[in-house]
Amino acid sequence: MFTFSPLLGALSESAASQSILELDGGIKILVGVGWDESFDIAKLKELEKQVPTLSLILLTHATTEHIAAFAHCCKHFPLFTRIPVYATSPIIGLGRTLLQDLYASTPAAATTIPSSALDGVAFPEDQASTNFLLQTPSTDEIATYFSLIHPLKYSQPHQPRGSPFSPSLNGLTITAYNSGHTLGGTIWHIQHGLESVVYAVDWNQARENVFAGAAWLGGAGGGGAEVIEQLRKPTALICSSRGVEKQSLSGGRTKRDEQLLEKIAACVANGGTVLIPTDSSARVLELAYLLEHAWRTDAPPGDNKLSQAKLYLAGRNVHSVMRYARSMLEWMDDSVVREFEATADGSKRNAPDGNRQGKDAGPFDFRYLRLLDRRGQVEKVLSREGDGDTAVGKVIIASDASLEWGFSKSVLRHLAQDPANMVILTEYPSLASSSHPSLARTLWTWWKERQEDEGEANGNNSQTLDFIDAQKEALEGNDLARYQQWLAQQRQLQTTLQGGGGVTLETAGDVADDVSESSSESEDSEDEQQGRALNKAIILGQAGRKKAALTDEDLGVNILLKKKGVYDFDVRDKKGRDRWNPHPVRRKREDEYGEVIRPEDFLRAEERDDGDGGDMDQLGKNDDHDHVGKKRKWADAVPANKSNASQNHKRPAPGRNMTDDFQTDLPDGVVDDELDAIPEDQDETVNGPSKLVVTTERITVKLQIDFVDFAGIHDKRSLHMLIPLIQPRKLILVGGSSEDTMALASDCKKLIAEGSIDIHTPSMGHIIDASVDTNAWVVKLERPLVKQLKWQSVRGLTIATITGRLFAAQIHAADDNDDDDASHKRIKTEDSQSQSQPTNGSAEAPGKPTLDALPPNVASAIRSVAQPLHVGELRLADLRKAMQQSGHTAEFRGEGTLLVDGSVVVRKTATGRIDVESIGLPGSGASGPAAMTGGTFYAVKRTIYENLAVVAGA
């Protein structure tokens, strides 16, 4: 049994994706925890109902459409954190930075408490307020939630474990395959019993600069004409219909890149600023890589059209995103990996012109792209005037693509009224709400209208745009009392539901200080077990209110937070990277033997003391600074004899001027002291209960609007080509508007033979039955036949062949056993009782068919015509290992080809067919017992049969 229900993203303009897959035995799988820019908590109501029944969760992409609601569910849905979650490593890392950026950029992501939830709170209606915000997941909490996700690799079959409240998974297997579109994007293959389900939403078959193509035809370097065996002929294919009306660009990826660069060059040539809104963790890698390499190519002695302009990438967690990208190059396209290997091998370091910039010219080592992670830096870049800087164009890549939150919104507000500026949309904006479309959707609609009206110049008409800003404001007075009453009700309800387990709601930090202090003092007079601090951590948490007297030893490392004038590293007068990282990262030195090892780092303590000279014994006898565990302030000077004692044996601390052999890692982008000197953004978060305050500002928009498709989503040609090759038994279309879904369904009916496939187009919340079409019969086996069965084990399954005589027995009611007679009596209906039927013992009731053994004369005749059937899957890697263990030489020669003893070739085609070819000579590699068993050909044949279950017909 297999049923499918889309919770979000089906027959809808919203790009959010959530789906429930239910398999036989009550196994429920949630695929995707997406949300849209509306952050409407009502869209998560159905998911909240399904949480107690979920067995596991699968994540597909690190984008808001597929993962934005993950932290909200972990924070506010009981039992959600107890459900196992599976995803690839890039989705875990980049998804964490995405949600941290999201919650730090807009308070609207925290969502407001529904008005229906506040109805039970008694309060005067005229003083009621309904914009109470739920508690926002902190940065540490988001990191904790993502640390619970189980990482998987591509093409790695895995048998997951279910949640504590899930039924047994019974051999459920999940496998992740590359989907393109994003780094770590996944096509999920789910196998359970007879069901083989492929979940493929938002995939891209075409290769890009950073991302490899989807794994349908073998992935990067595949290029086959058939779909790989693991993804071919599934019982159900769940596919997105978004992009079905999009035609393929004639020039492919190269033409797309040229269009973007031409539009940018035309704008920056006139001193304008180009804004490219994009997401903060997925598609931003493609744009950053493309523009950085375009600037490198255009640099002197190039055309120098682009390199004169300044290039920026703005995002609150952009440094973390790029750090993850550099550590995940193996997940990218092969061209990126080759570029990194060429840089690491030093092939660019010995360039003919003698420059050594190739040392910093890795795929994501930016020389022209400047990373901005503070609001002050963005405002500084936008407000630069004078000194001839106004004539220099700028290109700013900023998050988010919806223009509803992030730096892209503030940049658009600053550029909107200048006709020389331009905004280039790179994705088709979704429509989360018809009454309140996003800024990107409004701009795209204007661009579409201007394209239809060719006589109207692009960007010359001024139109007004409403900018809606969301701010946090602390609750006071009656609002605070009402919130606390609601919070008490929710805590009581949650305690009742989960019995004190799982994640609690808001902590005491959500209650006002005066209320919490008075309540904590009253609790001290009650039972000793209530309100008592059981460890030092709780004492530290109460130290701010109760002024608990703690010594420096009790504080430990927390002395840096609780006491003033105590520092671990003094960065007050530092600038740039030294302000946030006072420890320079040393590059490892390598030679032809590997990493250079310093012997002094591996000395024992007594050897190190002996080497430092006799002064070490006399050093610090009367000095209080050298006691073990004693902290030293920065104002205290280091004794001169101590600093010079180990000078001859220890490497000096790195300074600003270093040699090439011992150099610190440079910061991302071009060093700009003015931007580095800008302080960190002030923490404007409101601690405790708060409400959402929305303000609207109307701005006249005069800038140019353009669109270049960089979404990286399948187009019409890919869908029409691959769906017939996949050959699914049932096709389920989700992830697209009603027009796109119906258009693709109509096209598939024309492309695939009528009646060979069932096409479903479910709406949100609708459950469809997509079970595999099977028929089951129940027969009785006679004892003589059971004794003849020979069971064989094949990859966890036990099978046997049966040849017998089937006949339908008519069993008299009088001869039936008591159990059958009782069951017949129980199923009688009133209608049957009202009819006059004979009830005497001569009445006959239908019985189960019986399968009996064949007579000897019939069995011999059937045995001569029966054809054997081989059951199982032969893997060449297993065959190679088995042949090597039996004394033969076996090695791979090309894709899907195994050479044994230099004389026998074993090939496995895309359809799973095994071909064995031999030159007819005894193998030279066989020796000993291997050469005495009939030759290499028969040895290979015998080994193949041993790995399969041969089911004969007799």
Side-chain angles (χ1 to χ4, degrees):
M1 184 194 74
F2 168 60
T3 60
F4 176 80
S5 175
L7 303 183
L8 290 178
L11 301 179
S12 172
E13 287 283 351
S14 175
S17 176
Q18 294 178 11
S19 301
I20 294 289
L21 286 69
E22 184 173 0
L23 301 172
D24 193 15
I27 302 173
K28 282 190 176 182
I29 303 175
L30 172 65
V31 184
V33 199
W35 221 354
D36 50 39
E37 62 272 9
S38 66
F39 303 114
D40 186 3
I41 197 173
K43 297 182 178 181
L44 304 180
K45 283 297 182 183
E46 187 62 30
L47 174 58
E48 186 177 6
K49 297 177 183 178
Q50 299 286 346
V51 167
T53 63
L54 293 179
S55 300
L56 63 139
I57 301 173
L58 305 179
L59 302 180
T60 53
H61 296 282
T63 60
T64 55
E65 295 84 2
H66 297 273
I67 205 174
F70 179 72
H72 176 89
C73 296
C74 292
K75 180 75 174 178
H76 301 290
F77 292 174
L79 305 178
F80 194 87
T81 54
R82 302 178 65 182
I83 305 173
V85 186
Y86 295 89
T88 58
S89 297
I91 292 180
I92 299 174
L94 298 178
R96 175 169 53 243
T97 60
L98 169 65
L99 295 192
Q100 290 174 346
D101 186 10
L102 172 62
Y103 284 101
S105 300
T106 173
T111 68
T112 58
I113 301 174
S115 57
S116 59
L118 297 173
D119 293 341
V121 180
F123 212 79
E125 293 295 335
D126 55 345
Q127 301 178 6
S129 177
T130 58
N131 288 333
F132 297 163
L133 284 173
L134 292 172
Q135 188 185 23
T136 303
S138 64
T139 301
D140 294 338
E141 287 176 335
I142 294 174
T144 302
Y145 299 150
F146 277 88
S147 66
L148 302 176
I149 302 178
H150 302 274
L152 294 180
K153 297 180 180 180
Y154 285 150
S155 304
Q156 173 189 346
H158 180 74
Q159 291 188 349
R161 61 179 181 88
S163 60
F165 37 85
S166 166
S168 176
L169 300 186
N170 296 326
L172 175 70
T173 303
I174 58 175
T175 310
Y177 293 93
N178 183 23
S179 68
H181 179 55
T182 62
L183 192 63
T186 305
I187 295 174
W188 287 105
H189 183 211
I190 305 169
Q191 291 178 297
H192 183 259
L194 298 177
E195 303 291 345
S196 175
V197 182
V198 175
Y199 187 94
V201 173
D202 292 348
W203 49 271
N204 184 21
Q205 181 61 28
R207 293 177 56 187
E208 298 186 88
N209 296 299
V210 175
F211 309 119
W216 295 114
L217 305 178
E226 295 181 347
V227 176
I228 60 176
E229 183 179 358
Q230 294 81 358
L231 299 179
R232 189 171 61 252
K233 294 183 179 180
T235 58
L237 169 63
I238 304 168
C239 181
S240 55
S241 59
R242 189 178 300 111
V244 67
E245 299 296 338
K246 183 175 62 176
Q247 300 294 335
S248 301
L249 201 60
S250 59
R253 180 188 66 189
T254 304
K255 184 64 176 179
R256 179 201 66 176
D257 298 346
E258 290 177 355
Q259 287 183 356
L260 179 64
L261 297 177
E262 289 174 359
K263 297 179 186 299
I264 293 175
C267 182
V268 298
N270 298 326
T273 300
V274 179
L275 169 63
I276 305 178
T278 184
D279 57 63
S280 60
S281 61
R283 300 298 302 173
V284 65
L285 299 178
E286 178 75 11
L287 289 169
Y289 180 91
L290 170 64
L291 296 184
E292 166 66 20
H293 284 68
W295 256 248
R296 293 183 189 177
T297 305
D298 190 72
D303 297 337
N304 204 19
K305 294 180 180 179
L306 295 174
S307 59
Q308 291 182 353
K310 299 296 182 64
L311 184 60
Y312 300 97
L313 175 58
R316 293 186 181 274
N317 284 348
V318 66
H319 287 282
S320 299
V321 171
M322 294 306 161
R323 184 170 64 251
Y324 282 125
R326 296 189 192 98
S327 63
M328 298 177 181
L329 297 180
E330 68 274 11
W331 295 83
M332 301 181 185
D333 189 68
D334 292 340
S335 61
V336 178
V337 178
R338 288 193 296 268
E339 180 182 354
F340 170 77
E341 292 175 349
T343 304
D345 293 341
S347 60
K348 296 183 179 180
R349 192 177 304 175
N350 300 323
D353 54 358
N355 60 22
R356 298 174 61 86
Q357 292 182 349
K359 192 173 184 178
D360 300 326
F364 288 94
D365 294 330
F366 301 121
R367 277 190 275 162
Y368 296 94
L369 184 65
R370 182 70 167 93
L371 304 185
L372 310 176
D373 61 348
R374 309 169 204 167
R375 184 176 299 275
Q377 292 178 331
V378 177
E379 295 175 352
K380 181 69 174 179
V381 169
L382 295 175
S383 61
R384 282 180 172 176
E385 296 181 0
D387 298 334
D389 196 24
T390 55
V392 177
K394 305 182 186 70
V395 179
I396 303 177
I397 309 172
S399 63
D400 177 66
S402 65
L403 295 171
E404 288 296 316
W405 56 272
F407 289 145
S408 61
K409 186 175 183 179
S410 58
V411 174
L412 176 64
R413 177 178 296 164
H414 187 276
L415 304 179
Q417 300 184 6
D418 190 350
N421 299 329
M422 174 184 289
V423 56
I424 300 179
L425 304 176
T426 57
E427 299 181 19
Y428 173 76
S430 63
L431 184 61
S433 174
S434 58
S435 58
H436 299 286
S438 64
L439 297 178
R441 178 74 179 205
T442 303
L443 294 177
W444 184 86
T445 304
W446 293 352
W447 173 81
K448 196 70 174 177
E449 294 173 353
R450 295 173 185 178
Q451 291 296 313
E452 295 175 356
D453 189 0
E454 298 179 355
E456 198 172 339
N458 186 18
N460 291 339
N461 289 343
S462 61
Q463 296 172 286
T464 58
L465 197 62
D466 292 335
F467 285 77
I468 302 176
D469 296 326
Q471 300 293 332
K472 253 185 176 183
E473 185 177 311
L475 293 180
E476 298 177 352
N478 295 331
D479 288 342
L480 179 60
R482 190 183 187 200
Y483 174 84
Q484 291 173 351
Q485 186 177 355
W486 171 85
L487 182 60
Q489 292 180 357
Q490 295 300 311
R491 284 177 175 170
Q492 183 179 4
L493 177 62
Q494 179 172 323
T495 303
T496 304
L497 289 176
Q498 62 187 46
V503 182
T504 59
L505 288 175
E506 283 111 328
T507 59
D510 294 318
V511 188
D513 287 340
D514 53 348
V515 178
S516 60
E517 184 175 358
S518 61
S519 62
S520 60
E521 291 176 355
S522 63
E523 290 174 354
D524 291 340
S525 61
E526 297 177 359
D527 188 27
E528 293 181 352
Q529 296 180 357
Q530 298 181 359
R532 175 173 294 181
L534 301 180
N535 50 43
K536 293 181 181 179
I538 300 180
I539 297 178
L540 293 176
Q542 298 174 351
R545 297 193 298 261
K546 292 190 175 183
K547 308 297 182 183
L550 299 175
T551 63
D552 294 348
E553 289 76 7
D554 292 335
L555 288 173
V557 72
N558 290 287
I559 192 174
L560 301 172
L561 303 176
K562 300 298 181 181
K563 282 201 171 185
K564 296 182 179 180
V566 180
Y567 309 98
D568 51 354
F569 304 107
D570 193 357
V571 295
R572 290 171 292 181
D573 297 330
K574 303 294 184 180
K575 293 183 180 180
R577 67 181 302 278
D578 291 336
R579 186 175 182 84
W580 59 269
N581 186 12
H583 274 305
V585 180
R586 299 178 179 179
R587 286 190 174 180
K588 298 179 180 179
R589 298 178 57 189
E590 297 183 354
D591 53 18
E592 60 271 23
Y593 299 104
E595 183 181 350
V596 177
I597 297 177
R598 300 190 308 170
E600 57 269 22
D601 291 342
F602 299 89
L603 294 177
R604 293 193 296 269
E606 56 272 16
E607 294 177 349
R608 187 179 294 108
D609 294 340
D610 294 341
D612 289 341
D615 293 339
M616 291 294 295
D617 297 332
Q618 303 296 329
L619 179 60
K621 284 187 177 181
N622 299 322
D623 193 355
D624 294 336
H625 299 290
D626 290 346
H627 294 171
V628 177
K630 188 70 175 180
K631 292 185 177 295
R632 177 177 60 84
K633 297 184 178 180
W634 283 97
D636 300 335
V638 181
N641 53 357
K642 181 176 181 179
S643 61
N644 296 331
S646 59
Q647 185 174 2
N648 297 329
H649 299 274
K650 294 184 179 181
R651 181 168 298 186
R656 284 289 182 181
N657 298 325
M658 303 177 185
T659 62
D660 293 335
D661 294 334
F662 187 62
Q663 183 180 5
T664 59
D665 286 336
L666 296 176
D668 295 323
V670 182
V671 177
D672 194 329
D673 293 336
E674 295 183 5
L675 296 179
D676 288 336
I678 295 177
E680 298 287 343
D681 296 338
Q682 296 182 356
D683 188 7
E684 300 177 355
T685 57
V686 178
N687 295 324
S690 58
K691 62 181 178 181
L692 187 66
V693 179
V694 178
T695 59
T696 303
E697 180 183 3
R698 178 162 295 182
I699 295 180
T700 303
V701 177
K702 300 181 180 179
L703 82 170
Q704 306 173 50
I705 306 173
D706 218 322
F707 176 78
V708 180
D709 188 5
F710 262 78
I713 297 292
H714 44 62
D715 52 17
K716 185 175 183 178
R717 177 177 174 272
S718 298
L719 291 170
H720 287 186
M721 178 188 68
L722 283 171
I723 291 179
L725 292 177
I726 298 171
Q727 303 177 30
R729 297 186 185 180
K730 297 181 184 295
L731 177 62
I732 304 174
L733 299 179
V734 295
S737 62
S738 177
E739 294 78 7
D740 290 345
T741 304
M742 295 305 174
L744 181 57
S746 177
D747 294 341
C748 290
K749 291 179 181 179
K750 299 176 183 178
L751 294 172
I752 304 174
E754 185 177 358
S756 62
I757 182 175
D758 296 333
I759 302 177
H760 302 276
T761 57
S763 58
M764 289 186 294
H766 180 66
I767 300 176
I768 62 172
D769 187 0
S771 302
V772 60
D773 297 329
T774 57
N775 297 316
W777 293 271
V778 178
V779 297
K780 289 184 178 180
L781 301 182
E782 295 293 343
R783 290 184 178 274
L785 181 62
V786 175
K787 294 179 180 180
Q788 297 178 5
L789 297 182
K790 296 181 179 180
W791 296 96
Q792 302 181 63
S793 297
V794 180
R795 299 190 179 276
L797 299 177
T798 305
I799 63 174
T801 178
I802 296 179
T803 303
R805 181 177 57 180
L806 181 67
F807 59 92
Q810 295 294 332
I811 305 176
H812 294 281
D815 298 335
D816 201 359
N817 55 40
D818 296 338
D819 294 338
D820 291 342
D821 185 65
S823 64
H824 286 308
K825 292 180 180 179
R826 284 195 298 268
I827 64 175
K828 288 183 178 180
T829 61
E830 295 180 358
D831 295 338
S832 63
Q833 292 176 356
S834 63
Q835 297 176 358
S836 61
Q837 294 181 352
T839 58
N840 53 19
S842 62
E844 294 183 353
K848 295 179 181 178
T850 303
L851 191 62
D852 198 356
L854 292 174
N857 56 346
V858 179
S860 59
I862 293 178
R863 187 180 298 111
S864 60
V865 297
Q867 296 294 330
L869 177 66
H870 298 82
V871 180
E873 179 185 1
L874 177 67
R875 298 180 180 178
L876 293 184
D878 297 339
L879 178 61
R880 173 176 174 265
K881 182 178 180 181
M883 296 305 299
Q884 290 178 346
Q885 291 177 351
S886 60
H888 296 269
T889 60
E891 56 184 359
F892 286 105
R893 293 292 180 89
E895 185 69 21
T897 303
L898 180 67
L899 179 63
V900 182
D901 290 345
S903 60
V904 178
V905 175
V906 183
R907 293 188 180 91
K908 186 176 181 180
T909 63
T911 59
R913 177 184 175 87
I914 302 296
D915 296 331
V916 183
E917 299 180 4
S918 175
I919 61 176
L921 298 177
S924 59
S927 60
M932 301 170 60
T933 56
T936 303
F937 177 80
Y938 294 101
V940 172
K941 182 179 179 181
R942 184 166 47 254
T943 306
I944 292 176
Y945 286 160
E946 290 174 354
N947 285 271
L948 299 175
V950 182
V951 180

